[in-house]
Amino acid sequence: GAVVSQHPSRVICKSGTSVKIECRSLDFQATTMFWYRQFPKQSLMLMATSNEGSKATYEQGVEKDKFLINHASLTLSTLTVTSAHPEDSSFYICSAVMGTGSSPLHFGNGTRLTVT
Amino acid sequence: GQNIDQPTEMTATEGAIVQINCTYQTSGFNGLFWYQQHAGEAPTFLSYNVLDGLEEKGRFSSFLSRSKGYSYLLLKELQMKDSASYLCAVRDSNYQLIWGAGTKLIIKP
């Protein structure tokens, strides 16, 4: 149980274009979804936290107009990287949690974004 | 500030036992998690501790001492597939997850 599906797994795009990444919780309703990015050999960096039906909470230094997050339902959140630049190339990982307390985060398989 | 410390890298031999330590200073405590992350992949959940003591799950065990702000992940009968990064994360009083930088574990034959 507790499967999180993330799509696409890899994407290559040109500078200036936008890329949408989808994150779905397949067998549970996610009260909260998190978006992380990870550079090579570095730890996870939380970008934003999103709750269904409300605006995402962005971490300091993360541009909300550049990284658009939509949490339309309890099973779907999307991250859109707008006007992508080469420095946005990274590994983006979503995670979802059901409730709080002892519930662990369940991660999607990640999206490798390369901006040329 | 909030901080989680773990060794950057460890090396162990196939079949042996290794202990990966994690110390934390956070604003409150609502549980500690261990995740495994293979290169190029997303993290996978290994264990959760919220009370002091040892939680055993097959070859993996995790220990917590809240008074010392300390946890360790114990891996027994190491296999080559255990080569990965191991991430320690603490949930603080606001239920935010604070992540350690991860420990890269290298298993040698």
Side-chain angles (χ1 to χ4, degrees):
Chain A
V3 176
V4 176
S5 173
Q6 185 173 343
H7 178 80
S9 58
R10 290 181 181 272
V11 59
I12 300 173
C13 69
K14 293 185 178 180
S15 288
T17 60
S18 295
V19 173
K20 179 185 282 188
I21 303 170
E22 286 190 354
C23 180
R24 294 180 185 272
S25 56
L26 296 185
D27 54 357
F28 67 102
Q29 292 188 326
T31 51
T32 306
M33 288 187 170
F34 303 88
W35 287 95
Y36 290 87
R37 67 188 294 181
Q38 188 176 36
F39 293 104
K41 299 184 180 180
Q42 295 187 21
S43 189
L44 299 167
M45 288 176 46
L46 180 65
M47 298 175 67
T49 302
S50 75
N51 294 293
E52 183 264 339
S54 62
K55 289 184 179 180
T57 302
Y58 289 81
E59 295 299 300
Q60 193 172 10
V62 178
E63 298 175 56
K64 62 180 181 180
D65 295 329
K66 179 170 184 60
F67 299 99
L68 301 178
I69 292 174
N70 183 284
H71 196 153
S73 73
L74 283 170
T75 59
L76 174 64
S77 177
T78 61
L79 168 68
T80 301
V81 182
T82 63
S83 187
H85 290 282
E87 57 264 32
D88 297 326
S89 298
S90 186
F91 190 47
Y92 292 86
I93 315 173
C94 75
S95 65
V97 65
M98 179 175 60
T100 56
S102 64
S103 300
L105 261 63
H106 298 282
F107 287 87
N109 288 330
T111 298
R112 176 76 57 193
L113 172 63
T114 303
V115 184
T116 61
Chain B
Q2 309 205 87
N3 193 52
I4 297 192
D5 289 313
Q6 7 176 177
T8 304
E9 187 173 296
M10 299 182 70
T11 303
T13 304
E14 189 177 16
I17 299 173
V18 70
Q19 178 175 310
I20 302 174
N21 295 325
C22 170
T23 58
Y24 63 89
Q25 301 90 38
T26 57
S27 302
F29 178 83
N30 278 301
L32 184 145
F33 300 84
W34 283 97
Y35 284 83
Q36 179 191 61
Q37 185 178 24
H38 285 99
E41 298 181 11
T44 54
F45 171 70
L46 288 179
S47 68
Y48 170 75
N49 294 72
V50 67
L51 299 177
D52 291 349
L54 188 68
E55 294 283 339
E56 297 187 76
K57 204 185 271 188
R59 294 190 297 115
F60 293 4
S61 303
S62 56
F63 172 83
L64 174 67
S65 168
R66 288 171 296 171
S67 62
K68 296 181 179 178
Y70 167 70
S71 173
Y72 66 71
L73 180 69
L74 190 72
L75 293 76
K76 303 176 184 177
E77 302 170 16
L78 286 170
Q79 301 175 10
M80 298 303 293
K81 67 178 182 179
D82 297 330
S83 293
S85 287
Y86 291 85
L87 307 175
C88 173
V90 172
R91 188 168 269 160
D92 69 10
S93 57
N94 293 319
Y95 286 89
Q96 299 297 312
L97 262 188
I98 313 301
W99 291 89
T103 298
K104 182 178 180 181
L105 177 62
I106 300 169
I107 310 296
K108 295 186 175 179

